[in-house]
Amino acid sequence: MTAMNWLFKEEPANYSFDALVKDEQTIWSGVKNPLAQKHLHAVKKGDRIFYYHTGNEKAVVGIAKALADAYADPADKTGRAAVVDVGPVKKLPRPVTLAEIKADPSFKTFPLVRISRLSVMPVTDAEWKRIEAMAGRAG
């Protein structure tokens, strides 16, 4: 099975990419939306993750990776919620803003554009390469 690409959204005031770099890893938890939870359940060790700052920034700021497969959230008594261990890979050369992504016609079907409230979403290889290129690095 080939690795997947994901985009995880977080309010930088709550937990920024810089905080992840400092901590070296974290447990990605607190996802409530059923579709976002479905995506989180599908995360496998080694999957690539774009780290997206919500709020005032609204930009992809870094790359992280799944350190393990998704597993049951120990805090969820129902046993339905998943969490994922995440570690930083690198900060992007520059943030890629939501406005830039929305302005690019190649992202018309991208969940970040279509389902703006979703906190965990898949990213196609083509979308991944395009965002990396927009950040100033070839994909």
Side-chain angles (χ1 to χ4, degrees), residues 49-90:
I49 300 163
F50 274 136
Y51 201 108
Y52 180 91
H53 280 175
T54 60
N56 294 334
E57 284 188 52
K58 291 185 179 69
V60 180
V61 298
I63 297 173
K65 66 180 175 185
L67 301 176
D69 291 357
Y71 57 94
D73 183 346
D76 177 32
K77 301 207 184 333
T78 70
R80 290 193 299 261
V83 296
V84 174
D85 296 335
V86 175
V89 173
K90 67 179 179 181

mmCIF file of all heavy atoms in Angstrom, residues 49-90:
data_model
loop_
_atom_site.group_PDB
_atom_site.id
_atom_site.type_symbol
_atom_site.label_atom_id
_atom_site.label_comp_id
_atom_site.label_asym_id
_atom_site.label_seq_id
_atom_site.Cartn_x
_atom_site.Cartn_y
_atom_site.Cartn_z
ATOM 1 N N ILE A 49 1.901 14.645 5.863
ATOM 2 C CA ILE A 49 0.847 15.527 6.363
ATOM 3 C C ILE A 49 1.245 16.980 6.147
ATOM 4 O O ILE A 49 2.318 17.404 6.590
ATOM 5 C CB ILE A 49 0.609 15.292 7.876
ATOM 6 C CG1 ILE A 49 0.198 13.839 8.132
ATOM 7 C CG2 ILE A 49 -0.425 16.283 8.413
ATOM 8 C CD1 ILE A 49 0.336 13.408 9.591
ATOM 9 N N PHE A 50 0.392 17.736 5.470
ATOM 10 C CA PHE A 50 0.554 19.184 5.444
ATOM 11 C C PHE A 50 -0.036 19.729 6.743
ATOM 12 O O PHE A 50 -1.148 19.357 7.134
ATOM 13 C CB PHE A 50 -0.180 19.821 4.259
ATOM 14 C CG PHE A 50 0.595 19.870 2.982
ATOM 15 C CD1 PHE A 50 -0.007 19.539 1.787
ATOM 16 C CD2 PHE A 50 1.929 20.270 2.957
ATOM 17 C CE1 PHE A 50 0.685 19.592 0.593
ATOM 18 C CE2 PHE A 50 2.636 20.334 1.769
ATOM 19 C CZ PHE A 50 2.014 19.990 0.583
ATOM 20 N N TYR A 51 0.697 20.595 7.407
ATOM 21 C CA TYR A 51 0.236 21.229 8.648
ATOM 22 C C TYR A 51 -0.315 22.592 8.261
ATOM 23 O O TYR A 51 0.409 23.441 7.731
ATOM 24 C CB TYR A 51 1.421 21.380 9.609
ATOM 25 C CG TYR A 51 1.035 21.543 11.060
ATOM 26 C CD1 TYR A 51 1.254 20.508 11.959
ATOM 27 C CD2 TYR A 51 0.475 22.716 11.543
ATOM 28 C CE1 TYR A 51 0.928 20.640 13.295
ATOM 29 C CE2 TYR A 51 0.140 22.859 12.879
ATOM 30 C CZ TYR A 51 0.371 21.818 13.748
ATOM 31 O OH TYR A 51 0.042 21.960 15.074
ATOM 32 N N TYR A 52 -1.597 22.788 8.504
ATOM 33 C CA TYR A 52 -2.314 23.997 8.092
ATOM 34 C C TYR A 52 -2.712 24.806 9.310
ATOM 35 O O TYR A 52 -3.346 24.277 10.221
ATOM 36 C CB TYR A 52 -3.564 23.585 7.297
ATOM 37 C CG TYR A 52 -4.408 24.719 6.791
ATOM 38 C CD1 TYR A 52 -4.173 25.263 5.528
ATOM 39 C CD2 TYR A 52 -5.443 25.240 7.550
ATOM 40 C CE1 TYR A 52 -4.956 26.297 5.034
ATOM 41 C CE2 TYR A 52 -6.234 26.276 7.072
ATOM 42 C CZ TYR A 52 -5.983 26.805 5.811
ATOM 43 O OH TYR A 52 -6.765 27.833 5.335
ATOM 44 N N HIS A 53 -2.312 26.083 9.331
ATOM 45 C CA HIS A 53 -2.726 26.985 10.410
ATOM 46 C C HIS A 53 -4.056 27.631 10.034
ATOM 47 O O HIS A 53 -4.166 28.260 8.977
ATOM 48 C CB HIS A 53 -1.689 28.081 10.630
ATOM 49 C CG HIS A 53 -0.505 27.641 11.429
ATOM 50 N ND1 HIS A 53 0.575 28.455 11.643
ATOM 51 C CD2 HIS A 53 -0.230 26.486 12.083
ATOM 52 C CE1 HIS A 53 1.472 27.813 12.390
ATOM 53 N NE2 HIS A 53 0.999 26.613 12.660
ATOM 54 N N THR A 54 -5.043 27.467 10.897
ATOM 55 C CA THR A 54 -6.354 28.079 10.687
ATOM 56 C C THR A 54 -6.345 29.491 11.278
ATOM 57 O O THR A 54 -5.284 30.061 11.501
ATOM 58 C CB THR A 54 -7.457 27.232 11.348
ATOM 59 O OG1 THR A 54 -7.185 27.144 12.745
ATOM 60 C CG2 THR A 54 -7.522 25.840 10.760
ATOM 61 N N GLY A 55 -7.533 30.008 11.572
ATOM 62 C CA GLY A 55 -7.637 31.326 12.205
ATOM 63 C C GLY A 55 -7.213 32.440 11.275
ATOM 64 O O GLY A 55 -7.599 32.473 10.112
ATOM 65 N N ASN A 56 -6.418 33.369 11.794
ATOM 66 C CA ASN A 56 -6.003 34.524 11.004
ATOM 67 C C ASN A 56 -5.002 34.179 9.904
ATOM 68 O O ASN A 56 -4.887 34.898 8.930
ATOM 69 C CB ASN A 56 -5.401 35.602 11.910
ATOM 70 C CG ASN A 56 -6.433 36.195 12.846
ATOM 71 O OD1 ASN A 56 -7.621 36.188 12.555
ATOM 72 N ND2 ASN A 56 -5.988 36.693 13.979
ATOM 73 N N GLU A 57 -4.249 33.092 10.067
ATOM 74 C CA GLU A 57 -3.224 32.741 9.079
ATOM 75 C C GLU A 57 -3.807 32.095 7.832
ATOM 76 O O GLU A 57 -3.483 32.492 6.729
ATOM 77 C CB GLU A 57 -2.172 31.816 9.694
ATOM 78 C CG GLU A 57 -1.208 32.539 10.596
ATOM 79 C CD GLU A 57 -0.074 31.633 11.036
ATOM 80 O OE1 GLU A 57 0.568 31.013 10.165
ATOM 81 O OE2 GLU A 57 0.153 31.557 12.249
ATOM 82 N N LYS A 58 -4.598 31.048 7.999
ATOM 83 C CA LYS A 58 -5.182 30.297 6.881
ATOM 84 C C LYS A 58 -4.120 29.968 5.828
ATOM 85 O O LYS A 58 -4.175 30.440 4.702
ATOM 86 C CB LYS A 58 -6.343 31.068 6.244
ATOM 87 C CG LYS A 58 -7.560 31.177 7.137
ATOM 88 C CD LYS A 58 -8.717 31.833 6.405
ATOM 89 C CE LYS A 58 -9.936 31.938 7.244
ATOM 90 N NZ LYS A 58 -9.836 32.877 8.352
ATOM 91 N N ALA A 59 -3.146 29.129 6.229
ATOM 92 C CA ALA A 59 -2.064 28.783 5.315
ATOM 93 C C ALA A 59 -1.437 27.443 5.676
ATOM 94 O O ALA A 59 -1.377 27.064 6.844
ATOM 95 C CB ALA A 59 -0.995 29.867 5.345
ATOM 96 N N VAL A 60 -0.963 26.733 4.643
ATOM 97 C CA VAL A 60 -0.159 25.534 4.839
ATOM 98 C C VAL A 60 1.236 26.028 5.219
ATOM 99 O O VAL A 60 1.839 26.804 4.480
ATOM 100 C CB VAL A 60 -0.090 24.683 3.552
ATOM 101 C CG1 VAL A 60 0.761 23.441 3.788
ATOM 102 C CG2 VAL A 60 -1.486 24.293 3.079
ATOM 103 N N VAL A 61 1.732 25.610 6.393
ATOM 104 C CA VAL A 61 2.996 26.148 6.896
ATOM 105 C C VAL A 61 4.115 25.122 7.017
ATOM 106 O O VAL A 61 5.280 25.490 7.095
ATOM 107 C CB VAL A 61 2.803 26.863 8.251
ATOM 108 C CG1 VAL A 61 1.863 28.057 8.105
ATOM 109 C CG2 VAL A 61 2.304 25.894 9.308
ATOM 110 N N GLY A 62 3.761 23.828 7.070
ATOM 111 C CA GLY A 62 4.801 22.837 7.276
ATOM 112 C C GLY A 62 4.393 21.455 6.820
ATOM 113 O O GLY A 62 3.250 21.225 6.414
ATOM 114 N N ILE A 63 5.370 20.549 6.900
ATOM 115 C CA ILE A 63 5.152 19.150 6.556
ATOM 116 C C ILE A 63 5.461 18.311 7.791
ATOM 117 O O ILE A 63 6.485 18.516 8.450
ATOM 118 C CB ILE A 63 6.043 18.711 5.381
ATOM 119 C CG1 ILE A 63 5.679 19.513 4.117
ATOM 120 C CG2 ILE A 63 5.909 17.215 5.123
ATOM 121 C CD1 ILE A 63 6.614 19.281 2.941
ATOM 122 N N ALA A 64 4.556 17.394 8.077
ATOM 123 C CA ALA A 64 4.729 16.459 9.190
ATOM 124 C C ALA A 64 4.550 15.051 8.637
ATOM 125 O O ALA A 64 4.284 14.877 7.440
ATOM 126 C CB ALA A 64 3.708 16.747 10.286
ATOM 127 N N LYS A 65 4.693 14.064 9.510
ATOM 128 C CA LYS A 65 4.468 12.681 9.081
ATOM 129 C C LYS A 65 3.802 11.909 10.207
ATOM 130 O O LYS A 65 3.946 12.252 11.390
ATOM 131 C CB LYS A 65 5.774 12.007 8.680
ATOM 132 C CG LYS A 65 6.735 11.808 9.821
ATOM 133 C CD LYS A 65 8.011 11.144 9.356
ATOM 134 C CE LYS A 65 8.999 11.075 10.513
ATOM 135 N NZ LYS A 65 10.282 10.555 10.135
ATOM 136 N N ALA A 66 3.078 10.874 9.805
ATOM 137 C CA ALA A 66 2.452 9.979 10.782
ATOM 138 C C ALA A 66 3.525 9.043 11.303
ATOM 139 O O ALA A 66 4.206 8.368 10.534
ATOM 140 C CB ALA A 66 1.320 9.204 10.134
ATOM 141 N N LEU A 67 3.705 8.997 12.615
ATOM 142 C CA LEU A 67 4.728 8.166 13.234
ATOM 143 C C LEU A 67 4.237 6.746 13.487
ATOM 144 O O LEU A 67 5.031 5.857 13.774
ATOM 145 C CB LEU A 67 5.195 8.806 14.546
ATOM 146 C CG LEU A 67 5.778 10.214 14.405
ATOM 147 C CD1 LEU A 67 6.105 10.785 15.771
ATOM 148 C CD2 LEU A 67 6.991 10.213 13.500
ATOM 149 N N ALA A 68 2.918 6.547 13.405
ATOM 150 C CA ALA A 68 2.305 5.233 13.613
ATOM 151 C C ALA A 68 0.947 5.240 12.927
ATOM 152 O O ALA A 68 0.444 6.301 12.556
ATOM 153 C CB ALA A 68 2.148 4.952 15.106
ATOM 154 N N ASP A 69 0.363 4.076 12.773
ATOM 155 C CA ASP A 69 -1.001 3.988 12.267
ATOM 156 C C ASP A 69 -1.942 4.647 13.279
ATOM 157 O O ASP A 69 -1.649 4.695 14.481
ATOM 158 C CB ASP A 69 -1.425 2.529 12.106
ATOM 159 C CG ASP A 69 -0.691 1.810 10.982
ATOM 160 O OD1 ASP A 69 0.116 2.436 10.269
ATOM 161 O OD2 ASP A 69 -0.934 0.598 10.839
ATOM 162 N N ALA A 70 -3.079 5.127 12.784
ATOM 163 C CA ALA A 70 -4.113 5.651 13.676
ATOM 164 C C ALA A 70 -4.520 4.564 14.663
ATOM 165 O O ALA A 70 -4.487 3.374 14.346
ATOM 166 C CB ALA A 70 -5.322 6.094 12.860
ATOM 167 N N TYR A 71 -4.882 4.986 15.865
ATOM 168 C CA TYR A 71 -5.321 4.035 16.892
ATOM 169 C C TYR A 71 -6.445 4.651 17.710
ATOM 170 O O TYR A 71 -6.703 5.859 17.626
ATOM 171 C CB TYR A 71 -4.151 3.594 17.784
ATOM 172 C CG TYR A 71 -3.404 4.714 18.478
ATOM 173 C CD1 TYR A 71 -3.743 5.098 19.784
ATOM 174 C CD2 TYR A 71 -2.367 5.378 17.846
ATOM 175 C CE1 TYR A 71 -3.054 6.121 20.429
ATOM 176 C CE2 TYR A 71 -1.679 6.400 18.490
ATOM 177 C CZ TYR A 71 -2.018 6.765 19.784
ATOM 178 O OH TYR A 71 -1.347 7.787 20.414
ATOM 179 N N ALA A 72 -7.125 3.824 18.479
ATOM 180 C CA ALA A 72 -8.272 4.286 19.268
ATOM 181 C C ALA A 72 -7.835 5.340 20.280
ATOM 182 O O ALA A 72 -6.818 5.189 20.954
ATOM 183 C CB ALA A 72 -8.922 3.112 19.986
ATOM 184 N N ASP A 73 -8.615 6.401 20.358
ATOM 185 C CA ASP A 73 -8.345 7.486 21.308
ATOM 186 C C ASP A 73 -8.605 6.966 22.719
ATOM 187 O O ASP A 73 -9.734 6.610 23.051
ATOM 188 C CB ASP A 73 -9.270 8.666 20.997
ATOM 189 C CG ASP A 73 -9.033 9.875 21.874
ATOM 190 O OD1 ASP A 73 -8.346 9.757 22.914
ATOM 191 O OD2 ASP A 73 -9.547 10.943 21.521
ATOM 192 N N PRO A 74 -7.565 6.923 23.565
ATOM 193 C CA PRO A 74 -7.765 6.414 24.930
ATOM 194 C C PRO A 74 -8.741 7.250 25.751
ATOM 195 O O PRO A 74 -9.322 6.757 26.715
ATOM 196 C CB PRO A 74 -6.370 6.440 25.551
ATOM 197 C CG PRO A 74 -5.459 7.062 24.572
ATOM 198 C CD PRO A 74 -6.193 7.299 23.297
ATOM 199 N N ALA A 75 -8.967 8.492 25.337
ATOM 200 C CA ALA A 75 -9.894 9.368 26.071
ATOM 201 C C ALA A 75 -11.345 9.194 25.629
ATOM 202 O O ALA A 75 -12.254 9.734 26.255
ATOM 203 C CB ALA A 75 -9.471 10.828 25.900
ATOM 204 N N ASP A 76 -11.566 8.439 24.544
ATOM 205 C CA ASP A 76 -12.919 8.251 24.025
ATOM 206 C C ASP A 76 -13.503 6.952 24.565
ATOM 207 O O ASP A 76 -13.090 5.862 24.160
ATOM 208 C CB ASP A 76 -12.889 8.230 22.493
ATOM 209 C CG ASP A 76 -14.263 7.955 21.901
ATOM 210 O OD1 ASP A 76 -15.281 8.352 22.503
ATOM 211 O OD2 ASP A 76 -14.319 7.331 20.818
ATOM 212 N N LYS A 77 -14.467 7.080 25.443
ATOM 213 C CA LYS A 77 -15.058 5.897 26.081
ATOM 214 C C LYS A 77 -15.881 5.042 25.104
ATOM 215 O O LYS A 77 -16.093 3.868 25.337
ATOM 216 C CB LYS A 77 -15.900 6.336 27.268
ATOM 217 C CG LYS A 77 -15.047 7.092 28.281
ATOM 218 C CD LYS A 77 -15.564 6.989 29.670
ATOM 219 C CE LYS A 77 -14.809 7.792 30.692
ATOM 220 N NZ LYS A 77 -13.416 8.070 30.453
ATOM 221 N N THR A 78 -16.310 5.642 23.981
ATOM 222 C CA THR A 78 -17.090 4.885 23.001
ATOM 223 C C THR A 78 -16.197 3.994 22.154
ATOM 224 O O THR A 78 -16.676 3.051 21.532
ATOM 225 C CB THR A 78 -17.868 5.816 22.049
ATOM 226 O OG1 THR A 78 -16.942 6.482 21.188
ATOM 227 C CG2 THR A 78 -18.713 6.829 22.801
ATOM 228 N N GLY A 79 -14.906 4.313 22.077
ATOM 229 C CA GLY A 79 -13.976 3.530 21.271
ATOM 230 C C GLY A 79 -14.045 3.812 19.786
ATOM 231 O O GLY A 79 -13.402 3.137 18.989
ATOM 232 N N ARG A 80 -14.826 4.818 19.393
ATOM 233 C CA ARG A 80 -14.984 5.124 17.968
ATOM 234 C C ARG A 80 -13.960 6.140 17.455
ATOM 235 O O ARG A 80 -13.623 6.117 16.284
ATOM 236 C CB ARG A 80 -16.392 5.631 17.689
ATOM 237 C CG ARG A 80 -17.437 4.533 17.829
ATOM 238 C CD ARG A 80 -18.780 4.947 17.266
ATOM 239 N NE ARG A 80 -19.358 6.106 17.915
ATOM 240 C CZ ARG A 80 -20.291 6.048 18.859
ATOM 241 N NH1 ARG A 80 -20.759 4.887 19.249
ATOM 242 N NH2 ARG A 80 -20.761 7.152 19.401
ATOM 243 N N ALA A 81 -13.501 7.042 18.310
ATOM 244 C CA ALA A 81 -12.597 8.104 17.867
ATOM 245 C C ALA A 81 -11.165 7.581 17.719
ATOM 246 O O ALA A 81 -10.724 6.710 18.465
ATOM 247 C CB ALA A 81 -12.616 9.271 18.848
ATOM 248 N N ALA A 82 -10.469 8.137 16.744
ATOM 249 C CA ALA A 82 -9.073 7.772 16.498
ATOM 250 C C ALA A 82 -8.164 8.954 16.808
ATOM 251 O O ALA A 82 -8.597 10.111 16.796
ATOM 252 C CB ALA A 82 -8.881 7.356 15.043
ATOM 253 N N VAL A 83 -6.897 8.641 17.069
ATOM 254 C CA VAL A 83 -5.839 9.633 17.209
ATOM 255 C C VAL A 83 -4.642 9.128 16.404
ATOM 256 O O VAL A 83 -4.576 7.953 16.039
ATOM 257 C CB VAL A 83 -5.438 9.867 18.687
ATOM 258 C CG1 VAL A 83 -6.595 10.460 19.479
ATOM 259 C CG2 VAL A 83 -4.949 8.582 19.339
ATOM 260 N N VAL A 84 -3.693 10.019 16.139
ATOM 261 C CA VAL A 84 -2.499 9.665 15.373
ATOM 262 C C VAL A 84 -1.295 10.358 15.999
ATOM 263 O O VAL A 84 -1.375 11.532 16.355
ATOM 264 C CB VAL A 84 -2.644 10.102 13.892
ATOM 265 C CG1 VAL A 84 -1.354 9.869 13.126
ATOM 266 C CG2 VAL A 84 -3.791 9.391 13.222
ATOM 267 N N ASP A 85 -0.192 9.627 16.111
ATOM 268 C CA ASP A 85 1.070 10.225 16.548
ATOM 269 C C ASP A 85 1.700 10.903 15.339
ATOM 270 O O ASP A 85 1.862 10.277 14.281
ATOM 271 C CB ASP A 85 2.014 9.156 17.096
ATOM 272 C CG ASP A 85 1.470 8.481 18.347
ATOM 273 O OD1 ASP A 85 0.653 9.100 19.058
ATOM 274 O OD2 ASP A 85 1.856 7.328 18.607
ATOM 275 N N VAL A 86 2.056 12.178 15.512
ATOM 276 C CA VAL A 86 2.551 12.997 14.417
ATOM 277 C C VAL A 86 3.894 13.609 14.802
ATOM 278 O O VAL A 86 4.074 14.043 15.947
ATOM 279 C CB VAL A 86 1.531 14.124 14.102
ATOM 280 C CG1 VAL A 86 2.057 15.085 13.060
ATOM 281 C CG2 VAL A 86 0.214 13.536 13.643
ATOM 282 N N GLY A 87 4.811 13.657 13.843
ATOM 283 C CA GLY A 87 6.109 14.296 14.053
ATOM 284 C C GLY A 87 6.395 15.274 12.933
ATOM 285 O O GLY A 87 5.916 15.107 11.806
ATOM 286 N N PRO A 88 7.206 16.310 13.212
ATOM 287 C CA PRO A 88 7.518 17.303 12.183
ATOM 288 C C PRO A 88 8.531 16.768 11.177
ATOM 289 O O PRO A 88 9.373 15.934 11.509
ATOM 290 C CB PRO A 88 8.125 18.450 12.987
ATOM 291 C CG PRO A 88 8.770 17.770 14.155
ATOM 292 C CD PRO A 88 7.872 16.592 14.474
ATOM 293 N N VAL A 89 8.450 17.250 9.954
ATOM 294 C CA VAL A 89 9.458 16.964 8.932
ATOM 295 C C VAL A 89 10.219 18.255 8.646
ATOM 296 O O VAL A 89 11.414 18.326 8.823
ATOM 297 C CB VAL A 89 8.825 16.389 7.648
ATOM 298 C CG1 VAL A 89 9.856 16.255 6.533
ATOM 299 C CG2 VAL A 89 8.176 15.040 7.945
ATOM 300 N N LYS A 90 9.479 19.293 8.223
ATOM 301 C CA LYS A 90 10.123 20.587 7.981
ATOM 302 C C LYS A 90 9.091 21.674 7.770
ATOM 303 O O LYS A 90 7.942 21.413 7.404
ATOM 304 C CB LYS A 90 11.040 20.517 6.771
ATOM 305 C CG LYS A 90 10.292 20.303 5.484
ATOM 306 C CD LYS A 90 11.237 20.265 4.322
ATOM 307 C CE LYS A 90 10.425 20.020 3.068
ATOM 308 N NZ LYS A 90 11.230 19.934 1.896
#
